[in-house]
Amino acid sequence: MSELKQYIDNNQQRFLNELFELLKIPSVSADPVYSQDVLNAAGFLKKNMEKIGLDNVSIEETPGYPIVYGEKIIDPSLPTVLVYGHYDVQPADPIELWESDPFEPVIKKTKEHPQGAIFARGASDDKGQMFMHLKAMEYLLKNNKLEVNVKFMIEGEEEVGSPSLAWYVKRNHEKLKNDVIIISDTGMIDNETPAITTGLRGLAYVEVEVTGPNRDLHSGLYGGAVANPINILAKMIAGLQDENKRITIPGFYDDVKELSPEERAEIAKIPFDLEEYKKSLGIDEVYGEDGYSTLERQSIRPTLDVNGIWGGYTGEGAKTIIPSKAYAKISMRLVPDQDPEKIADLFEQHFKAIAPKAVKVKTTRMHGGDGYVTPTDNEGYRAAALAMEKSFGKKPLPIYSGGSIPIVPLFEKELGTKSILMGFGLNSDAIHSPNEHYGVFNFLKGIETIGYFYDFYKNLKTQ
Ligand code: BES
Ligand code: MN
Ligand code: MN
């Protein structure tokens, strides 16, 4: 057994205990009720970074939640790896659908994880994955095996669009200077099929408010004569996709990069069981844009989805009103070369244009971000692929993911370096959903893989 594997074996219970401690902190960045907990999670990381032997560990203040920074500079002339991750988590709601307390981690077996999975909010996204980097670094530092420079930058606002990290990165080009960024905040195909994410979707997000009459009205006295904003909103939303499930906003597809038949053939090779997919989601049929496979629909095609819709009376029993207002939160996942600002503009123009005169429409933009693609012919990707091949015994597949990490394209713009998305989660981890979990296998394999990465990277960079 390799020294690294032996170290993981000997320390795995302590690694899990430490991760559990972090998972118990409800660091929900979206809800100010948890602001002290978010700060506590940063404090936990600072202590852990100090304990494993990183230098210049500091809680970097920002206009929002802090960034936890730590580094080990072996020799400024050697290559530098920047590790990014996030310590904030999504809200746990709807809490009643959790089978155990979201902030009291427990290990339970699942179909995908016969060795057990850690159930807790943030287990996979991203505390469990981010923490693997600290534990791999612990091994390298304790055994004097780190042969490149490393910088850790862990933020607390990823789930709310990373506003302060963008602020911080712009002001710290020199401090954050690196040759490659590594991130574990994405997924693999399954536990036998490792993958490296080479594409992420972008995001444009708009909240809409449709106003009818200036107050809720008696639906008997006024019904039929005044526009009901909920009826109108529903109709407007329904018209945003045509019968082929294509988005009807003029210009929406103008900059969409179409994949070549060869690229699509590569996607078709990715192991995917449609029957199993439907079964796991409890659906009888999939639904999406005509002419594309499910894997394509959820990665290389843009989307438009209502995330929430509300208005009027939703309490017990029947109340007869025509509501004054109706609201919806609408997100669009974008593909390279779609510009989130341009798409949000097109959406707003179109949404106002299709509204009947009987209502008023107000739109508010939420955070968004660019999509991302990274080539596979650089040292970072190759080192990650070699590390995965060594730990899994199988070459990873490059995959496009449907998710978004808007800070990744920003890193490239500000720092000039590529990010290697070496994630170990599974789609079945239920990130952002009730009962989020992360395989113990994935956690330990991740530590092992990351442990191998540095050596491969150093060799590729300095040969
Ligand atoms: N880690 C996820 C993104 C992700 C997950 C990408 C799995 C690929 C595979 C990240 O924490 C996330 O949830 N991002 C948000 C965007 C953000 C602006 C809130 C998303 O994709 O919705
Ligand atoms: Mn994440
Ligand atoms: Mn997330």
Side-chain angles (χ1 to χ4, degrees):
M1 195 188 281
S2 78
E3 217 182 299
L4 168 60
K5 268 175 131 166
Q6 189 65 61
Y7 187 83
I8 296 170
D9 250 34
N10 294 345
N11 292 282
Q12 87 173 63
Q13 194 52 53
R14 177 175 57 82
F15 289 175
L16 287 168
N17 291 346
E18 289 179 11
L19 173 59
F20 274 34
E21 227 186 289
L22 176 59
L23 290 170
K24 283 184 185 187
I25 307 172
S27 47
V28 179
S29 51
D31 187 344
V33 164
Y34 297 102
S35 59
Q36 188 54 49
D37 300 292
V38 182
L39 298 174
N40 291 347
F44 172 95
L45 286 177
K46 174 170 186 273
K47 268 199 231 138
N48 210 282
M49 282 187 190
E50 285 165 349
K51 211 168 75 185
I52 67 170
L54 288 174
D55 299 329
N56 298 320
V57 177
S58 76
I59 299 219
E60 305 272 290
E61 297 302 335
T62 73
Y65 289 123
I67 285 141
V68 191
Y69 180 86
E71 63 182 21
K72 191 82 195 177
I73 308 298
I74 309 272
D75 173 349
S77 68
L78 285 170
T80 301
V81 175
L82 177 70
V83 180
Y84 163 79
H86 62 96
Y87 63 82
D88 64 321
V89 300
Q90 283 277 318
D93 316 58
I95 203 126
E96 64 281 5
L97 295 183
W98 282 77
E99 282 163 23
S100 56
D101 188 324
F103 300 106
E104 281 301 332
V106 286
I107 294 183
K108 284 189 287 187
K109 293 194 165 82
T110 70
K111 186 161 61 58
E112 289 84 7
H113 299 291
Q115 292 181 38
I118 306 153
F119 280 75
R121 171 57 86 226
S124 176
D125 183 13
D126 179 40
K127 286 172 173 171
Q129 296 212 57
M130 171 268 289
F131 201 61
M132 303 179 312
H133 286 268
L134 285 175
K135 295 302 102 178
M137 191 48 55
E138 173 187 311
Y139 163 79
L140 294 171
L141 293 176
K142 287 228 162 109
N143 296 284
N144 264 316
K145 287 192 186 297
L146 184 68
E147 293 187 76
V148 294
N149 303 313
V150 66
K151 297 174 178 174
F152 275 75
M153 175 174 68
I154 313 296
E155 73 152 315
E157 297 184 341
E158 196 278 342
E159 299 293 6
V160 292
S162 306
S164 301
L165 185 63
W167 178 94
Y168 180 78
V169 169
K170 288 193 175 117
R171 284 163 181 75
N172 287 280
H173 283 189
E174 201 44 46
K175 177 168 181 152
L176 301 174
K177 205 162 174 253
N178 67 80
D179 296 278
V180 70
I181 302 169
I182 55 171
I183 304 175
S184 298
D185 194 22
T186 52
M188 310 189 294
I189 291 156
D190 56 48
N191 277 354
E192 282 79 53
T193 321
I196 298 174
T197 298
T198 51
L200 290 167
R201 286 196 283 199
L203 184 68
Y205 204 123
V206 183
E207 184 172 317
V208 299
E209 178 192 281
V210 178
T211 306
N214 58 8
R215 60 200 153 93
D216 290 1
L217 301 174
H218 189 290
S219 65
L221 299 181
Y222 292 93
V226 175
N228 178 323
I230 301 184
N231 293 24
I232 302 274
L233 175 61
K235 198 167 169 186
M236 289 167 71
I237 289 171
L240 293 175
Q241 267 131 346
D242 68 15
E243 64 284 3
N244 304 315
K245 289 81 115 193
R246 276 178 71 92
I247 295 150
T248 55
I249 300 169
F252 185 87
Y253 290 96
D254 282 0
D255 301 322
V256 171
K257 192 174 150 246
E258 293 289 340
L259 263 60
S260 67
E262 292 75 29
E263 288 171 303
R264 294 185 68 182
E266 284 305 311
I267 296 176
K269 281 191 209 150
I270 294 171
F272 177 73
D273 183 339
L274 186 61
E275 286 314 308
E276 190 50 46
Y277 180 86
K278 291 194 279 191
K279 211 173 123 210
S280 74
L281 299 177
I283 54 176
D284 295 330
E285 202 40 87
V286 291
Y287 186 91
E289 187 182 1
D290 291 358
Y292 294 92
S293 71
T294 295
L295 279 181
E296 289 174 335
R297 288 170 180 168
Q298 64 178 35
S299 63
I300 55 140
R301 298 298 298 165
T303 66
L304 184 149
D305 278 294
V306 180
N307 297 258
I309 181 163
W310 69 102
Y313 181 71
T314 55
E316 278 299 308
K319 183 183 183 208
T320 47
I321 54 155
I322 293 178
S324 168
K325 284 177 187 294
Y327 304 84
K329 289 182 190 281
I330 298 174
S331 68
M332 290 158 280
R333 294 280 170 176
L334 311 177
V335 298
D337 306 313
Q338 284 181 299
D339 172 13
E341 293 296 323
K342 181 176 162 192
I343 293 294
D345 281 344
L346 292 176
F347 174 90
E348 290 182 335
Q349 279 164 23
H350 180 64
F351 210 69
K352 286 178 179 154
I354 60 174
K357 287 234 159 46
V359 296
K360 291 179 194 70
V361 172
K362 200 177 119 193
T363 58
T364 313
R365 290 186 195 196
M366 319 290 257
H367 56 71
D370 290 318
Y372 183 69
V373 277
T374 178
T376 56
D377 59 0
N378 53 75
E379 291 94 355
Y381 183 92
R382 279 161 58 211
L386 287 167
M388 278 190 150
E389 190 175 350
K390 181 163 173 181
S391 60
F392 286 88
K394 213 169 168 185
K395 276 199 174 62
L397 295 173
I399 54 168
Y400 293 115
S401 171
S404 309
I405 312 180
I407 203 71
V408 166
L410 192 107
F411 287 155
E412 184 171 9
K413 209 161 92 197
E414 294 290 330
L415 304 173
T417 46
K418 284 282 183 187
S419 294
I420 306 304
L421 301 162
M422 182 173 43
F424 297 87
L426 299 183
N427 277 354
S428 57
D429 286 352
I431 64 171
H432 296 206
S433 300
N435 305 306
E436 175 176 354
H437 54 280
Y438 188 45
V440 174
F441 166 86
N442 304 64
F443 178 62
L444 300 174
K445 250 315 173 231
I447 299 173
E448 185 189 342
T449 310
I450 295 162
Y452 296 143
F453 170 84
Y454 287 90
D455 206 28
F456 284 121
Y457 185 66
K458 149 120 216 266
N459 289 337
L460 288 171
K461 271 306 258 196
T462 54
Q463 70 187 208

